[in-house]
Amino acid sequence: MSRVDMRSAEGIEFVVDTGAPCLDLLYTGGEGERARWEALHAPGDLARWVATHLLGRAVAAAAVDVTAEDLIRAKELREVLWRTANRSADGDGPAAADSAALDAAAARPDIAPQLRPPGVVTPVTGSQVLSTLARDAIGLLTGPYAERIKRCAADDCAIVFADTSRAGTRRWCSMARCGNRDKVRAHRKKEK
């Protein structure tokens, strides 16, 4: 399970199961409106995110070697992933330039697994992180959940996720937030 802890503009904390590590990266900030949630200010921020979200705390952030250039490239990849995920949620394929960017990032060596702890070869480099995320995105876009990349059904929510539920009928980014708000609105409407 890929999950992101979030806080709404109203201060409500909720968890989103994005369904894929590449989608987790989307919720670290971004351009435009998403800039107010920027979490990746320095290479160390990206190293901590990788250690926590991508590697599941298997390695310490100190074992993730990320440079300032890697941080810039990670933010560029995040924008490619944002556009691609939203296009997919709208039923479209990736733009040609975004497809090329994903392919180029995925062509580099990814994070190498190993049998003994911590489960990956360290140090992990920024280039390996970007390749791993790009490969995850390509796997998502070409795999069994490609048609299940969705945007939350709430009118005021732009969260994109991969519906990995058995039935494939998930509508909300989080039942604790958007799903609950919809139920409350429906209940109030019913009472009128």
Side-chain angles (χ1 to χ4, degrees):
M1 177 169 113
S2 208
R3 55 177 268 154
V4 178
D5 297 321
M6 300 190 71
R7 181 185 302 266
S8 71
E10 304 82 32
I12 299 167
E13 293 183 9
F14 61 102
V15 175
V16 175
D17 175 5
T18 65
C22 64
L23 297 180
D24 289 354
L25 184 65
L26 302 181
Y27 303 106
T28 60
E31 295 178 359
E33 183 71 20
R34 294 174 294 122
R36 64 181 165 171
W37 291 292
E38 184 61 61
L40 305 178
H41 302 284
D45 297 331
L46 178 57
R48 281 186 291 283
W49 182 86
V50 168
T52 302
H53 291 279
L54 190 57
L55 301 176
R57 301 177 198 260
V59 299
V64 181
D65 184 20
V66 178
T67 66
E69 180 64 29
D70 294 329
L71 178 62
I72 291 167
R73 289 185 19 238
K75 288 180 177 184
E76 290 169 352
L77 179 63
R78 180 177 65 190
E79 293 309 308
V80 166
L81 293 170
W82 177 258
R83 290 188 299 270
T84 301
N86 277 282
R87 285 179 60 91
S88 187
D90 291 336
D92 298 323
D98 291 339
S99 229
L102 285 172
D103 289 345
R108 297 184 193 104
D110 62 349
I111 297 171
Q114 68 180 13
L115 282 175
R116 64 182 185 275
V120 296
V121 175
T122 57
V124 172
T125 67
S127 181
Q128 289 174 306
V129 167
L130 299 178
S131 178
T132 299
L133 290 167
R135 289 175 187 218
D136 183 60
I138 291 169
L140 176 62
L141 294 167
T142 61
Y145 298 114
E147 302 295 320
R148 291 186 180 191
I149 299 172
K150 301 177 179 180
R151 193 173 295 105
C152 182
D155 294 338
D156 61 346
C157 184
I159 292 177
V160 178
F161 60 90
D163 179 1
T164 59
S165 68
R166 177 178 265 171
T169 57
R170 181 174 160 201
R171 298 181 54 210
W172 314 109
C173 63
S174 168
M175 273 308 294
R177 179 178 181 245
C178 291
N180 187 52
R181 289 187 308 163
D182 184 68
K183 285 183 176 187
V184 168
R185 277 193 290 268
H187 180 71
R188 287 181 182 156
K189 191 174 184 179
K190 198 175 187 180
E191 287 182 336
K192 287 184 181 181

